[in-house]
């Protein structure tokens, strides 16, 4: 247990707290404490995704436990958030949206697991990182939309509802496209791996045949 792994575990521990805040009746709902607190917890938990990886690389503390827990914590946080939003704001997040988002996360995890078993890795693309930012904006905007449809701060007007609506649909499109991008990278690498395996098997077969032929050509004494 080092500092990066402790931060990763804190992200997992924040999930039950987020669930309790969004489902409890202890908040009055008039002043928006429930929405603000849930948004703050989700933002902090999402930020720790970058902090634990940075500290692990900088301090040389990349461990097997961290490699296992980090993507698991991300998937649990996103899955929990969107399942909650289906109940919390069904008009903005229907069930099929949550299915698409969660399905994409587990598809990418499956592709990475297969890639690891074949001896290569699929690095997180810039598109995948951008998707994470859009997910944070979408989740926070939907939570705030539960209390405020718009914010007016002095001369500035912030349409919370339309930001949430646009972010959700943009995230769905981006999730599907990034899943296709991951699958394309996976297919390309596994295809090259298969070609190398066939070539290696062919070379070894030719060597064995040559060795057998050389032994047969040795004259008996």
């Amino acid at each position: 247990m080092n500092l990066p792994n402790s931060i990763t575990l804190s992200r997992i521990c924040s999930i039950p707290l987020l669930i309790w805040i969004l489902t409890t009746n202890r908040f009055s709902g008039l002043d928006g404490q429930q929405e603000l607190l849930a948004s703050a917890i989700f933002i902090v938990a999402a930020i720790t995704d970058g902090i634990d990886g940075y500290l692990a690389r900088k301090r040389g503390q990349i461990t097997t436990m961290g490699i296992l827990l980090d993507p698991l914590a991300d998937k649990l946080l996103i899955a929990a958030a969107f399942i909650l939003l289906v109940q919390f704001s069904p008009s903005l997040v229907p069930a099929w949206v949550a299915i698409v988002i969660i399905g994409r996360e587990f598809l990418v995890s499956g592709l990475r697991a297969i890639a690891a078993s074949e001896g290569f890795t699929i690095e997180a693309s810039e598109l995948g990182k951008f998707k994470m930012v859009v997910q944070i904006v979408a989740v926070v905007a939907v939570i705030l939309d539960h209390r405020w449809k718009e914010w007016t701060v002095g001369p500035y007007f912030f349409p919370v509802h339309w930001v949430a609506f646009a972010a959700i649909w943009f995230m769905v499109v981006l999730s599907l496209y990034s899943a296709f991008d991951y699958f394309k990278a996976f297919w390309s690498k596994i295809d090259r791996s298969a070609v190398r395996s066939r070539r290696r098997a062919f070379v070894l077969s030719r060597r064995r045949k040559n060795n057998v032929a050389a032994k047969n050509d040795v004259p008996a004494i």
Side-chain angles (χ1 to χ4, degrees), residues 104 124-134 170 173-182:
R104 182 264 177 202
S125 63
E126 294 300 322
L127 185 63
K129 296 175 183 178
F130 178 61
K131 177 196 65 65
M132 184 62 185
V133 175
V134 176
F170 183 56
V173 174
L174 195 61
S175 295
L176 292 174
Y177 183 78
S178 65
F180 172 77
D181 188 55
Y182 268 104

Side-chain angles (χ1 to χ4, degrees), residues 26-221:
R26 290 181 176 273
F27 296 95
S28 64
L30 299 178
D31 52 3
Q33 289 183 353
Q34 181 181 30
E35 290 80 8
L36 291 174
L37 187 56
S39 299
I41 290 174
F42 182 80
I43 291 172
V44 171
I47 290 175
T48 62
D49 179 31
I51 295 176
D52 56 6
Y54 171 77
L55 290 177
R57 291 188 296 271
K58 184 177 180 180
R59 297 160 64 104
Q61 295 180 331
I62 299 177
T63 62
T64 303
M65 181 180 180
I67 293 173
L68 172 66
L69 285 181
D70 186 55
L72 178 62
D74 298 340
K75 302 298 181 290
L76 289 175
L77 179 64
I78 294 300
F82 279 95
I83 291 172
L84 285 169
L85 292 181
V86 170
Q87 175 184 350
F88 196 67
S89 184
S91 60
L92 280 174
V93 188
W96 69 266
V97 169
I99 291 171
V100 168
I101 302 303
I102 297 171
R104 182 264 177 202
E105 298 297 329
F106 283 98
L107 172 64
V108 171
S109 297
L111 292 179
R112 284 181 169 171
I114 296 173
S117 67
E118 293 294 327
F120 59 89
T121 58
I122 303 177
E123 300 295 334
S125 63
E126 294 300 322
L127 185 63
K129 296 175 183 178
F130 178 61
K131 177 196 65 65
M132 184 62 185
V133 175
V134 176
Q135 282 182 338
I136 296 172
V137 173
V139 170
V140 172
V142 171
I143 292 174
L144 295 178
D145 175 78
H146 189 261
R147 174 63 182 84
W148 299 278
K149 300 301 178 182
E150 58 188 41
W151 274 350
T152 302
V153 181
Y156 300 104
F157 170 76
F158 188 72
V160 178
H161 177 75
W162 289 109
V163 169
F165 180 81
I168 286 293
W169 281 100
F170 183 56
M171 184 192 56
V172 170
V173 174
L174 195 61
S175 295
L176 292 174
Y177 183 78
S178 65
F180 172 77
D181 188 55
Y182 268 104
F183 184 79
K184 185 173 67 173
F186 166 80
W187 189 264
S188 175
K189 286 193 175 185
I190 203 168
D191 188 50
R192 288 198 296 267
S193 176
V195 170
R196 286 195 298 267
S197 298
R198 288 196 298 266
R199 187 177 301 159
R200 190 180 304 113
F202 175 75
V203 171
L204 292 175
S205 176
R206 290 295 299 271
R207 285 179 180 175
R208 284 196 294 267
K209 289 181 180 179
N210 291 337
N211 291 336
V212 171
K215 290 179 180 179
N216 293 335
D217 290 340
V218 177
I221 300 177

Side-chain angles (χ1 to χ4, degrees), residues 1-10 52 61 63 65-66 69:
M1 282 301 300
N2 50 39
L3 179 59
N5 289 345
S6 299
I7 294 175
T8 303
L9 285 175
S10 72
D52 56 6
Q61 295 180 331
T63 62
M65 181 180 180
L69 285 181

